[in-house]
Amino acid sequence: MVYKEVVYVVSDSVGETAEFVVKAVATQFNSSQIEIRRNSYVDDIEDIEDIIMLAKKGNTIIAYTIVIPSLKDYLDKRASEESILAVDLLSPLMNAFITRFNKEPNHQPGLMRKLDEEYFRKIEAIEFAVKYDDGRDPRGITKADIVLIGVSRTSKTPLSMYLAHKRFKVANVPLVPEVPPPDELFTVPRKNCIGLIISPDKLNEIRKERLKALGLASQANYASFERILEELDHAEKIMKRVGCPVIDVSNKAVEETAGLILDILKKERSF
């Protein structure tokens, strides 16, 4: 009797890594007859027994990525008892890490998937920050984890990007006397909004440097004290209306301000 060639891919997580390796090897044998059967989230002895019972009936191999020691040992034991060829795809490299780097593995399944999910959440948050930067689309206000408001040059954009790398979706809105704030700003929970203020002297200094970098006259209205005081007064009124926490960014690095924002959010959302 000719048995079909089957490779059982067994994992205590999704099993994508093991399946990819098996497919890569199978292509080297130019065999379209090999069937690959993936068994994901194997987390108890009963699951392993089911696979053993299937594998013992044919011309099979078990290729596995199991990091839970008790399950790995059980699979090795049962495969040996039933004369099934079982290949551990992780242990040789894990043992090399242990030997060379003198570190112990976590023995926790699903960490690769977790890392991938965190990476994609960060990318999504960065794209969000770019899309809803500088009040471009007020719809982002209601979708954001954090909304930053303040006058021009209070580090709203750098903060948005920094917090996006922490996987927070951030929208920021400039407060300008001539432009009414979007209605959405007054509908979001106060705990989601942070006001950014700055001293007039510091803002004057920053704006003059900005004008210089753009090749414009430093005496422009944008950097005048009268204009700055008008903007700060307008911004303060909006922040009071919103009822949001306020941070003075005058002499703070972006990282320091971001830390304060996260502390405020943690405190606000714990109530």
Side-chain angles (χ1 to χ4, degrees), residues 57-235:
K57 298 176 182 177
N59 187 21
T60 63
I61 296 172
I62 295 177
Y64 68 87
T65 53
I66 292 179
V67 297
I68 301 173
S70 59
L71 289 180
K72 169 187 156 33
D73 292 344
Y74 186 82
L75 175 54
D76 286 340
K77 173 176 172 292
R78 291 292 293 118
S80 176
E81 291 172 351
E82 300 293 345
S83 299
I84 301 168
L85 180 58
V87 181
D88 182 350
L89 299 178
L90 292 182
S91 284
L93 189 55
M94 288 181 72
N95 289 335
F97 271 57
I98 294 169
T99 301
R100 178 58 62 186
F101 303 140
N102 195 28
K103 293 182 178 180
E104 289 298 318
N106 292 318
H107 296 300
Q108 182 180 341
L111 291 180
M112 188 69 171
R113 170 68 60 172
K114 183 178 179 182
L115 287 173
D116 286 345
E117 289 174 354
E118 289 181 356
Y119 171 77
F120 286 114
R121 279 201 299 271
K122 180 166 71 173
I123 296 300
E124 184 181 5
I126 292 171
E127 291 175 346
F128 186 96
V130 171
K131 182 176 182 180
Y132 298 111
D133 181 43
D134 208 31
R136 290 176 188 169
D137 186 344
R139 291 175 297 180
I141 294 172
T142 59
K143 301 175 184 177
D145 299 317
I146 304 170
V147 180
L148 303 177
I149 59 175
V151 301
S152 173
R153 315 314 295 176
T154 48
S155 301
K156 295 186 300 299
T157 297
L159 278 167
S160 295
M161 296 307 299
Y162 185 91
L163 291 166
H165 278 82
K166 301 288 185 181
R167 299 181 296 281
F168 289 95
K169 293 181 179 179
V170 185
N172 73 75
V173 180
L175 300 179
V176 184
E178 294 79 13
V179 181
D183 294 336
E184 289 85 352
L185 188 59
F186 304 103
T187 65
V188 297
R190 64 179 297 278
K191 67 178 183 294
N192 290 1
C193 188
I194 300 289
L196 304 175
I197 61 171
I198 189 170
S199 71
D201 288 336
K202 186 66 176 178
L203 186 55
N204 175 255
E205 178 187 330
I206 292 172
R207 287 190 174 183
K208 281 184 176 180
E209 288 299 317
R210 177 60 175 164
L211 289 172
K212 189 185 298 182
L214 294 173
L216 301 174
S218 60
Q219 291 80 21
N221 187 47
Y222 176 70
S224 73
F225 260 98
E226 183 180 354
R227 174 63 183 182
I228 285 172
L229 292 173
E230 180 188 2
E231 288 188 31
L232 291 174
D233 181 63
H234 171 73

